[in-house]
Amino acid sequence: MAKSRKFWAWMIASVILRLILIYFPKKLNLSTRPEVSTPLTSLRRLAEGYWLKQQSMSPYAGSMYHGSPLLLSVLGPLTVKRIEGQPDHLLCSLLLVLADIISAILIRATGKILQMAYRQSLDSLNLLQASKSSDFLSSGDVAALVYLWNPLTIVACVAQSTSPIENLAIILSLFGACKRLVPLAAFGWVVATHLSLYPAILIIPVILLLGSGPDAPPRKLFLQRGCEKFGDSSSNDSHRPRMEVSPSKLPIAFSWRSLIHFLLWTSLWSVYVLFLCSVLVRPYGGLLEMFKRTYGFMLTVEDLSPNIGVLWYFFAEVFDFFRNFFLIVFHMNILFMIIPLAIRLNHRPCFLAFVYIALSSMLKSYPSVGDSALCLGLLALFVDQLADMQFSFFLFCGYVGVSLLSPAMHNLWIWRGTGNANFYFATAMAYACFQIILVVESVSATLNHDRKLRKLSASKLGDGKS
């Protein structure tokens, strides 16, 4: 009960901080920052698209809006409603705050599910005493507070970026998969993929979560422990000791029924979303025009405005003759890593989802700090398993340094004229390097944790035989 009070007190404090910053004069001009607002997440571009729609023009006319027509229909009316004496787009800001709160609650619930499943797995292996648990807050509470109090999350919310809504859809899908709620998982995945193409790769961890359950030690560890308890296969059956790991405690085998249900619900939600979009964009060219202006815009990297990614600078310098080739190379780079990671981390699908999100936040065409906020929030779910992670302090200092240097380098380049594009691009390269180190070290720490469990299990088996 005391832990619950602490969590809700910190959550309320984070909401109050957001409201104070929303009412801050001019909101520190965060909505113009390229690290926060991209061509896909900027509320200003969404408001421009809605204005064009109100003028009986296509919202995709020109090169301003490239987002979802459903998101335009939901947030567009809120951008034109003014409350006298209140900041502009106040209703949109309150909606984004609500999205952050719901995301944190879902992260907390997901953490509880993962922690309970993992403790049950360790209990079945008689390794529960070897696990370390926090006496202050559970991993789910820590992850939710990390997401809420992360400066990147706060900045994305206050700057009126639409990334909190995209993050909510992703978290909703993962929560539904962990809870084995197939319709909810399918809905979250379809909405997340509709808002941004890159969450489509999360279909693999979502299927693994629905089919095999939450994260657990490798299944072969359970099988090995059970088989070794049988003793030598050449001995008589009457002299075999009883197996300590009962079949009921083994991880659940993959459920193909859940996979079929997920595919059916995914098809249903996809048809429904496409039907709504077709109704909204019928006067403006139909679904083909929508796909060209949204997914096509992401894949072709038409807007080369600066951001914290690396693609804008590269395609600003590359010859047009090689542009299509390097577009294929950059986008296939994400796809090449999907299968190997899925094979190696198939027993930890939720952690696999974190790895996919971290990779896409680094390699996507228009990344923002909101993507990193979700990545770091999900990483905190595995704080107990990443106790041996290296370079944690180095990564923390690196993220702080990039967050401070990026606005300074942008100011020197754009406003003061004493620098050039290389100044700002250097911070983007540093950010990508830190993301790479984060992914590599977190995966390495997780695999080392599994090795330790195998050694502990083997030592207990040796003690039992002796």
Side-chain angles (χ1 to χ4, degrees), residues 25-215:
K26 296 184 179 180
K27 301 188 185 67
L28 303 175
N29 211 24
L30 293 175
S31 59
T32 61
R33 298 302 313 164
E35 303 88 358
V36 184
S37 296
T38 68
L40 299 174
T41 62
S42 173
L43 191 67
R44 291 187 174 186
R45 288 176 175 256
L46 187 145
E48 179 70 18
Y50 187 73
W51 183 86
L52 292 173
K53 184 178 179 181
Q54 293 295 99
Q55 304 300 316
S56 300
M57 300 172 62
S58 171
Y60 301 115
S63 60
M64 290 299 293
Y65 185 65
H66 299 279
S68 163
L70 296 180
L71 191 64
L72 184 69
S73 300
V74 173
L75 294 183
L78 301 181
T79 61
V80 297
K81 290 184 179 180
R82 297 288 186 271
I83 301 177
E84 186 176 355
Q86 303 299 326
D88 294 342
H89 301 168
L90 175 64
L91 296 177
C92 287
S93 299
L94 296 178
L95 184 61
L96 297 176
V97 172
L98 181 61
D100 275 349
I101 296 174
I102 298 175
S103 297
I105 294 174
L106 292 178
I107 289 176
R108 186 192 186 206
T110 303
K112 289 184 177 180
I113 296 172
L114 293 175
Q115 189 174 30
M116 184 181 301
Y118 193 69
R119 289 176 67 87
Q120 289 176 354
S121 300
L122 293 181
D123 185 30
S124 63
L125 291 170
N126 296 328
L127 298 176
L128 186 58
Q129 295 179 353
S131 65
K132 299 178 181 179
S133 59
S134 175
D135 295 330
F136 178 64
L137 289 173
S138 65
S139 59
D141 293 345
V142 172
L145 293 179
V146 167
Y147 181 79
L148 281 175
W149 283 96
N150 190 339
L152 303 180
T153 312
I154 297 174
V155 166
C157 177
V158 175
Q160 297 176 339
S161 169
T162 60
S163 57
I165 298 178
E166 298 178 9
N167 293 344
L168 175 59
I170 295 174
I171 296 171
L172 187 66
S173 176
L174 295 178
F175 169 75
C178 289
K179 197 73 174 177
R180 295 291 184 90
L181 300 176
V182 178
L184 186 62
F187 175 77
W189 182 81
V190 169
V191 173
T193 305
H194 172 69
L195 295 178
S196 178
L197 178 62
Y198 295 93
I201 62 177
L202 294 178
I203 191 172
I204 295 179
V206 168
I207 288 176
L208 291 174
L209 281 169
L210 291 172
S212 303
D215 293 17

Side-chain angles (χ1 to χ4, degrees), residues 148-447:
L148 281 175
W149 283 96
N150 190 339
L152 303 180
T153 312
I154 297 174
V155 166
C157 177
V158 175
Q160 297 176 339
S161 169
T162 60
S163 57
I165 298 178
E166 298 178 9
N167 293 344
L168 175 59
I170 295 174
I171 296 171
L172 187 66
S173 176
L174 295 178
F175 169 75
C178 289
K179 197 73 174 177
R180 295 291 184 90
L181 300 176
V182 178
L184 186 62
F187 175 77
W189 182 81
V190 169
V191 173
T193 305
H194 172 69
L195 295 178
S196 178
L197 178 62
Y198 295 93
I201 62 177
L202 294 178
I203 191 172
I204 295 179
V206 168
I207 288 176
L208 291 174
L209 281 169
L210 291 172
S212 303
D215 293 17
R219 181 177 174 83
K220 63 181 179 181
L221 182 59
F222 294 84
L223 297 175
Q224 179 184 5
R225 186 174 180 85
C227 292
E228 293 188 11
K229 284 299 176 181
F230 273 115
D232 186 12
S233 60
S234 62
S235 61
N236 296 329
D237 293 343
S238 59
H239 295 89
R240 288 180 179 176
R242 294 183 61 188
M243 184 175 65
E244 291 187 1
V245 182
S246 63
S248 62
K249 290 186 177 181
L250 288 174
I252 302 174
F254 190 84
S255 174
W256 293 100
R257 183 177 181 181
S258 298
L259 172 59
I260 295 174
H261 286 174
F262 174 75
L263 295 178
L264 290 176
W265 276 103
T266 300
S267 302
L268 179 63
W269 286 121
S270 299
V271 171
Y272 182 66
V273 168
L274 290 177
F275 171 75
L276 293 179
C277 292
S278 64
V279 173
L280 294 173
V281 300
R282 183 179 299 171
Y284 314 116
L287 290 177
L288 291 179
E289 181 68 14
M290 182 196 74
F291 288 136
K292 179 182 177 181
R293 295 289 187 170
T294 55
Y295 293 163
F297 178 78
M298 300 177 200
L299 296 176
T300 56
V301 197
E302 298 177 5
D303 194 325
L304 298 179
S305 56
N307 53 63
I308 60 174
V310 296
L311 270 66
W312 65 273
Y313 186 87
F314 183 86
F315 286 107
E317 299 293 334
V318 74
F319 292 110
D320 290 339
F321 179 78
F322 299 104
R323 179 180 174 84
N324 291 334
F325 170 76
F326 283 108
L327 281 173
I328 296 174
V329 170
F330 272 100
H331 293 305
M332 290 299 293
N333 195 20
I334 300 178
L335 300 179
F336 284 150
M337 291 181 280
I338 292 178
I339 301 301
L341 287 170
I343 294 174
R344 193 64 183 88
L345 298 171
N346 64 86
H347 61 288
R348 298 192 184 278
C350 200
F351 181 77
L352 178 64
F354 151 75
V355 175
Y356 283 172
I357 293 172
L359 290 175
S360 63
S361 68
M362 175 181 56
L363 298 175
K364 67 193 303 185
S365 53
Y366 299 102
S368 69
V369 296
D371 303 318
S372 297
L374 175 61
C375 172
L376 296 175
L378 293 179
L379 178 64
L381 287 173
F382 316 99
V383 62
D384 294 334
Q385 305 170 30
L386 300 177
D388 298 331
M389 180 175 171
Q390 298 180 355
F391 308 116
S392 300
F393 183 72
F394 172 74
L395 287 172
F396 173 78
C397 295
Y399 278 114
V400 173
V402 169
S403 301
L404 296 177
L405 284 176
S406 183
M409 296 298 103
H410 187 267
N411 181 270
L412 290 176
W413 172 31
I414 299 298
W415 301 110
R416 297 186 180 275
T418 56
N420 53 42
N422 294 323
F423 283 52
Y424 187 73
F425 181 64
T427 61
M429 289 289 292
Y431 168 77
C433 291
F434 289 128
Q435 288 287 90
I436 294 173
I437 296 174
L438 177 66
V439 171
V440 172
E441 291 302 322
S442 60
V443 172
S444 177
T446 300
L447 297 179

